[in-house]
C-alpha cells in the first residue's frame, strides 16, 4: 500500500485547525469519469485514516463491483487537501485512491490507480521520468437546459442569453449583443457577456491552487468558453482537471447558470474539444526538443507516430461518448484527419511554435474532448506515445496545408478518426496491447470499458427514435 508522508499529513491537520474545519469530504473517480464523494465529521479523521482508509459500498458505482463483493476502501491522498469554497460548513476535500479491503491492493478499475501505474511504467522504461499534460477544456455556459427521453417523446432544449437564435426574442429589452454563429472568438464585452463570470471562475481556480494561464470566449455563441491550465505531471493534471470541472460548474451554479462539458450540445455551431498538450522530461530536461521538423527531436517524432498509429483506439477513451462524434465532423474545426503539422490547427497533432525555447517544445493532440475520464485518457495517450518511441514508429510526412482545402485525391491518403463510438470501441478491441504494457491497463479494464460503453450508451442510443427522424420520415 502507498505510504502517506508525515509532512503532508501534518499539513492536513494544520489546515483543519487553521480553518476550524467541521467536515471531511472524500472524492474519488468512478469508471466512466465522474467524481463521487461522501463526507464524515472531522473527528472521524485521524492520522491512522491515511493508512486504514474508510469503507464504502462499491456496488453502486458505475462500472465497478457486483453486490456480492461490494465492500471497498478509499485512502485519502493528503497532497490533495483543499478547503472547499462552495460548502457552507467549513469542509476540506481530499482526493482518494480506491483499494481492495482484503488484499489492501489498489483496485484494478480505479482510474487514478491506472494513471499512477502509467507514471510508474514510464519511469521503468528509462525513457523519461515525467510526462507533462496540459488540457484545454472547452465548455458551454447555459441559462436553461431541459431534456427528457421516454416511450413517447424525446427532446432537449438549451438556451443562452448569448444564443444567436434569441436575436429576435422579446427580452424587455433585447440589447442585441449576441455573437454570430462561429464568431464567438474573441469579441469584447458587451458581446462577450460572460467576461465577469469567467474571471470569477478563473479566480476561484487560482484560489484552489491551480495555475490559470488564460481565459476567453470560444468560437461558438451561447456562452462557449475556455480556461487554460498550466501543464502538470500526469496524475496531478488529471486531479486538476476534475477540480477544474467542479469549480467551473459550482461557480456557474452560484449565478443560476449551468455548465456542460458535453462535446456537442448545439447543432450548427462549434463543439467543445479538449486539446491536450504533452511532453516527456528526464532529469529536469525536455526530451521533445531537437533538430528535426519543427525543432522536434527524433524521440518526439516517434511519440507522435505512436499517437497517430493508435489514434482510432485512443478515441474510444479520449472521445468516449456517442455525442463526441457529433463534434468529430469536418467543418467545425474538429481535427478528424489523423496527421501532424506545426501551426496547422486542422491536423490531429499540432506542434505549437509560440516559443522556440526547448522547455516549451511539446505536442498537442487536438482530437480529445472534455467528456473523457482524464486519468484514463492521459494514461492512454502517454502509452501510445511511449509505444511509438519503443518501436520507432515513423509519423510520416507532416501536413502543412489546410486539410479542409485538400482535393479528394490528396485526402484519400490521410486517415480519419472513427466516425462513431462503436467504431472506436471496435478499434480499441483490436488494438490495445500497447495499453497493457507494464500492467497499466488490464484485460479486465479494457473489456469492462468496451462492454460498459456498448451496453449503457451505444445500444440505448441506437434503439431510440431520434427527433429529427420524424422530420425525415413521418410521412413515408
Amino acid at each position: 500500500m502507498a505510504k502517506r508522508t508525515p509532512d503532508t499529513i501534518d499539513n492536513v491537520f494544520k489546515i483543519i485547525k487553521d480553518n476550524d474545519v467541521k467536515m471531511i469530504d472524500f472524492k474519488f473517480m468512478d469508471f466512466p469519469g465522474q467524481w463521487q464523494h461522501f463526507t464524515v465529521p472531522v473527528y472521524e479523521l485521524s492520522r491512522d485514516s491515511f493508512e486504514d482508509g474508510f469503507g464504502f459500498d462499491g456496488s453502486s458505482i458505475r462500472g465497478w463491483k457486483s453486490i456480492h463483493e461490494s465492500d471497498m476502501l478509499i485512502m485519502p491522498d493528503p497532497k490533495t487537501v483543499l478547503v472547499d469554497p462552495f460548502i457552507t460548513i467549513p469542509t476540506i476535500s481530499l482526493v482518494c485512491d480506491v483499494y481492495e479491503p482484503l488484499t489492501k491492493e489498489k483496485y484494478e478499475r480505479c482510474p487514478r490507480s491506472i494513471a499512477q501505474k502509467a507514471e510508474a511504467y514510464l519511469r521503468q522504461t528509462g525513457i523519461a521520468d515525467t510526462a507533462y499534460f496540459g488540457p484545454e477544456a472547452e465548455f458551454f455556459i447555459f441559462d436553461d437546459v431541459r431534456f427528457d427521453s421516454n416511450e413517447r417523446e424525446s427532446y432537449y432544449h438549451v438556451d443562452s442569453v448569448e444564443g444567436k437564435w434569441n436575436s429576435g426574442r422579446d427580452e424587455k429589452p433585447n440589447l442585441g449583443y449576441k455573437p454570430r454563429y462561429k464568431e464567438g472568438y474573441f469579441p469584447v464585452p458587451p458581446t462577450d457577456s460572460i467576461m465577469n463570470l469567467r474571471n470569477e471562475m478563473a479566480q476561484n481556480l487560482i484560489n484552489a491552487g491551480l495555475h490559470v494561464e488564460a481565459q476567453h470566449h470560444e468560437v461558438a455563441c451561447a456562452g462557449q468558453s475556455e480556461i487554460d491550465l498550466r501543464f502538470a505531471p500526469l496524475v496531478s493534471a488529471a486531479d486538476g482537471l476534475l477540480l477544474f470541472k467542479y469549480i467551473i460548474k459550482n461557480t456557474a451554479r452560484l449565478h443560476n447558470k449551468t455548465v456542460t462539458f458535453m462535446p456537442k450540445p448545439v447543432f450548427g455551431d462549434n463543439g467543445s474539444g479538449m486539446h491536450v498538450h504533452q511532453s516527456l522530461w528526464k532529469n529536469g530536461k525536455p526530451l521533445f526538443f531537437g533538430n528535426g521538423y519543427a525543432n522536434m527531436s527524433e524521440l518526439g517524432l516517434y511519440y507522435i507516430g505512436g499517437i497517430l498509429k493508435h489514434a482510432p483506439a485512443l478515441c474510444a477513451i479520449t472521445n468516449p461518448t456517442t455525442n463526441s462524434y457529433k463534434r468529430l465532423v469536418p467543418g467545425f474545426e474538429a481535427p478528424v484527419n489523423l496527421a501532424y503539422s506545426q501551426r496547422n490547427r486542422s491536423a490531429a497533432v499540432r506542434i505549437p511554435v509560440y516559443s522556440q525555447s526547448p522547455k516549451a517544445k511539446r505536442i498537442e493532440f487536438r482530437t480529445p474532448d472534455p467528456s473523457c475520464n482524464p486519468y484514463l485518457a492521459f494514461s492512454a495517450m502517454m502509452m501510445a506515445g511511449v509505444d511509438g518511441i519503443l518501436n520507432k514508429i515513423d509519423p510520416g510526412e507532416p501536413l502543412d496545408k489546410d486539410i479542409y482545402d485538400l482535393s479528394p485525391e490528396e485526402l484519400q491518403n490521410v486517415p480519419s478518426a472513427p466516425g462513431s463510438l462503436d467504431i472506436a470501441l471496435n478499434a480499441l478491441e483490436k488494438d490495445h496491447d500497447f495499453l497493457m504494457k507494464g500492467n497499466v491497463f488490464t484485460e479486465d479494464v479494457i473489456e469492462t470499458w468496451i462492454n460498459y460503453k456498448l451496453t449503457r450508451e451505444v445500444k440505448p442510443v441506437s434503439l431510440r427514435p431520434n427527433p429529427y427522424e420524424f422530420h425525415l420520415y413521418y410521412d413515408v
Side-chain angles (χ1 to χ4, degrees):
M1 192 189 328
K3 297 291 184 182
R4 276 42 175 150
T5 60
D7 57 331
T8 56
I9 295 174
D10 288 342
N11 184 53
V12 172
F13 288 99
K14 182 179 185 301
I15 290 173
I16 289 173
K17 181 180 178 181
D18 292 348
N19 294 275
D20 194 23
V21 168
K22 305 298 185 186
M23 295 288 174
I24 313 296
D25 194 55
F26 300 118
K27 294 184 175 68
F28 59 97
M29 172 63 83
D30 72 1
F31 200 51
Q34 292 284 331
W35 250 356
Q36 309 295 305
H37 81 130
F38 66 89
T39 310
V40 301
V42 67
Y43 53 73
E44 292 292 328
L45 185 75
S46 68
R47 298 187 70 86
D48 291 340
S49 301
F50 294 92
E51 296 296 332
D52 298 336
F54 291 82
F56 73 100
D57 176 6
S59 65
S60 297
I61 306 301
R62 297 182 299 172
W64 277 15
K65 292 285 191 175
S66 301
I67 192 71
H68 68 281
E69 52 179 6
S70 60
D71 288 352
M72 305 288 288
L73 281 176
I74 55 162
M75 300 290 183
D77 183 345
K79 298 189 300 296
T80 65
V81 63
L82 172 73
V83 177
D84 194 311
F86 301 105
I87 307 302
T88 303
I89 292 178
T91 300
I92 62 166
S93 169
L94 289 163
V95 177
C96 302
D97 298 311
V98 181
Y99 283 76
E100 295 278 9
L102 297 180
T103 64
K104 292 295 180 73
E105 296 291 330
K106 288 185 177 179
Y107 180 41
E108 183 177 14
R109 296 183 194 171
C110 172
R112 195 168 192 258
S113 172
I114 292 169
Q116 290 163 344
K117 288 193 292 182
E119 288 190 320
Y121 172 69
L122 178 65
R123 292 189 292 270
Q124 290 168 12
T125 65
I127 292 171
D129 52 41
T130 308
Y132 284 111
F133 284 81
E136 298 176 347
E138 299 166 352
F139 53 93
F140 279 86
I141 303 171
F142 291 134
D143 295 293
D144 185 57
V145 56
R146 291 178 282 119
F147 50 89
D148 196 7
S149 184
N150 54 54
E151 292 76 12
R152 68 181 187 89
E153 63 181 354
S154 184
Y155 69 89
Y156 68 91
H157 176 92
V158 296
D159 206 3
S160 165
V161 70
E162 278 198 357
K164 186 61 178 173
W165 56 82
N166 284 324
S167 294
R169 184 173 67 176
D170 184 5
E171 296 178 346
K172 305 186 187 308
N174 186 326
L175 300 179
Y177 294 110
K178 303 182 191 302
R180 287 175 285 274
Y181 296 114
K182 299 189 181 185
E183 293 188 24
Y185 194 90
F186 293 154
V188 299
T191 303
D192 178 2
S193 68
I194 48 178
M195 170 71 170
N196 286 331
L197 177 55
R198 286 199 314 275
N199 271 342
E200 185 176 335
M201 290 172 172
Q203 190 59 56
N204 286 341
L205 293 168
I206 294 167
N207 293 344
L210 296 174
H211 187 130
V212 173
E213 291 190 330
Q215 64 90 345
H216 58 83
H217 203 290
E218 256 299 337
V219 174
C221 69
Q224 192 185 32
S225 298
E226 178 178 314
I227 302 177
D228 298 333
L229 299 179
R230 186 174 177 82
F231 62 87
L234 193 155
V235 173
S236 295
D239 286 344
L241 183 58
L242 293 172
L243 179 58
F244 172 92
K245 285 187 170 184
Y246 179 75
I247 289 174
I248 296 300
K249 289 179 178 179
N250 280 284
T251 304
R253 181 67 182 85
L254 292 176
H255 293 268
N256 206 31
K257 292 181 182 289
T258 178
V259 161
T260 181
F261 290 90
M262 182 177 174
K264 191 72 172 181
V266 176
F267 169 70
D269 212 340
N270 283 36
S272 293
M274 187 178 75
H275 308 150
V276 183
H277 297 256
Q278 47 204 287
S279 63
L280 299 183
W281 289 54
K282 187 175 184 179
N283 297 326
K285 296 182 179 180
L287 301 182
F288 281 5
F289 184 80
N291 298 318
Y293 172 79
N295 290 126
M296 286 289 289
S297 65
E298 185 177 56
L299 178 145
L301 290 171
Y302 287 150
Y303 188 98
I304 293 173
I307 292 284
L308 293 177
K309 176 183 177 180
H310 298 298
L314 286 178
C315 283
I317 299 173
T318 62
N319 303 76
T321 69
T322 58
N323 183 256
S324 296
Y325 299 86
K326 303 293 183 6
R327 165 184 169 259
L328 286 180
V329 294
F332 295 91
E333 297 190 8
V336 296
N337 296 292
L338 303 178
Y340 76 102
S341 175
Q342 63 178 340
R343 304 180 68 180
N344 189 344
R345 293 172 185 266
S346 61
V349 174
R350 187 175 74 96
I351 304 169
V353 292
Y354 298 122
S355 170
Q356 295 306 307
S357 167
K359 293 183 177 181
K361 186 53 62 179
R362 62 196 187 276
I363 69 123
E364 176 192 21
F365 188 33
R366 297 175 60 81
T367 303
D369 68 56
S371 69
C372 70
N373 182 327
Y375 295 114
L376 302 184
F378 297 168
S379 298
M381 284 183 266
M382 191 211 78
M383 295 298 288
V386 168
D387 186 66
I389 294 169
L390 291 174
N391 291 290
K392 298 183 177 180
I393 297 174
D394 186 348
E397 293 297 316
L399 191 59
D400 288 328
K401 300 178 182 179
D402 185 341
I403 293 175
Y404 299 127
D405 287 339
L406 294 180
S407 67
E409 293 75 23
E410 293 175 298
L411 259 181
Q412 68 181 2
N413 297 318
V414 181
S416 296
S420 65
L421 180 56
D422 55 324
I423 295 175
L425 291 167
N426 186 55
L428 178 61
E429 188 172 34
K430 294 178 180 178
D431 177 26
H432 60 258
D433 287 349
F434 71 98
L435 295 172
M436 299 175 64
K437 301 285 181 61
N439 201 40
V440 174
F441 288 76
T442 64
E443 197 69 51
D444 173 74
V445 167
I446 299 296
E447 288 180 359
T448 302
W449 182 262
I450 292 172
N451 289 334
Y452 181 92
K453 288 290 174 178
L454 285 174
T455 59
R456 299 285 293 273
E457 299 178 30
V458 172
K459 290 182 180 178
V461 169
S462 68
L463 287 172
R464 285 161 171 77
N466 184 303
Y468 197 68
E469 290 176 319
F470 282 80
H471 172 79
L472 293 173
Y473 308 127
Y474 185 77
D475 60 348
V476 295

